[in-house]
Amino acid sequence: MERRKLIGIGAGLAVLPVLWALREVTGEAGKGPWHTDTAPLEQAFPLLGPLTDAKWVSSRDNDRELPSPELVISGLARLAPGKLKELTATYPFVTEGPTEDFSSWFEKPLKGQGPKDPRWISSKDLDRDGFGYQTNLWFDSRSDTVRFWALNPYGY
């Protein structure tokens, strides 16, 4: 075998334990195509209050050889009954929805998972931008569903 081939095989084998360790540390081993835990979302979006259901993915999920260096989370969550009404009474909203249906490489499992015929609204007051993080929230006024996309949602 050529020396280059041996070096390439060795380098490839060296990466596998690192990827396995990343999955173990982030708790992704043995899970389905998306996360369903609401606690990380409630930490990232405290104004949304307790969430009753969620489907979300992260750019650090292992769907390719190396995970993203920046954390992006994207998905859907269900608000507690009455929460959207409380938010719309407090913040100004406009009729506006996401421009694409989960188009990033890590969002593939969520494609087509949103509410049927949504009536999206959003509030710039609830979106955050600056200090190295950005958040976009869209709310379906019919199903109490929030769709979100957030870059560095925990501020680091």
Side-chain angles (χ1 to χ4, degrees):
M1 232 184 233
E2 292 180 27
R3 183 174 181 209
R4 282 189 222 160
K5 286 183 184 175
L6 286 174
I7 290 172
I9 291 171
L13 291 175
V15 169
L16 289 175
V18 171
L19 293 176
W20 176 83
L22 280 172
R23 288 187 69 205
E24 291 299 315
V25 167
T26 60
E28 297 309 308
K31 291 201 174 185
W34 52 64
H35 306 271
T36 58
D37 48 334
T38 59
L41 303 179
E42 291 166 357
Q43 180 185 356
F45 314 120
L47 289 176
L48 300 184
L51 301 169
T52 61
D53 187 33
K55 291 180 183 176
W56 60 280
V57 293
S58 159
S59 62
R60 292 188 182 159
D61 293 344
N62 191 19
D63 189 34
R64 59 186 194 175
E65 290 189 20
L66 295 174
S68 172
E70 292 186 310
L71 174 63
V72 177
I73 60 173
S74 179
L76 301 157
R78 182 75 48 112
L79 301 171
K83 186 62 178 182
L84 184 56
K85 187 175 184 177
E86 176 186 319
L87 290 171
T88 56
T90 307
Y91 299 97
F93 278 80
V94 296
T95 303
E96 180 182 59
T99 57
E100 297 178 351
D101 183 25
F102 299 112
S103 60
S104 295
W105 64 267
F106 69 95
E107 295 175 307
K108 286 187 291 186
L110 296 173
K111 199 158 189 80
Q113 292 297 314
K116 302 295 181 221
D117 300 319
R119 291 189 182 161
W120 296 115
I121 58 175
S122 67
S123 173
K124 295 299 175 200
D125 291 349
L126 293 174
D127 292 347
R128 299 178 297 185
D129 192 0
F131 303 109
Y133 57 87
Q134 176 184 351
T135 298
N136 295 104
L137 302 170
W138 302 277
F139 301 85
D140 177 26
S141 58
R142 289 202 259 175
S143 68
D144 287 335
T145 298
V146 59
R147 178 171 166 188
F148 57 88
W149 182 96
L151 171 65
N152 297 326
Y154 307 106
Y156 48 82

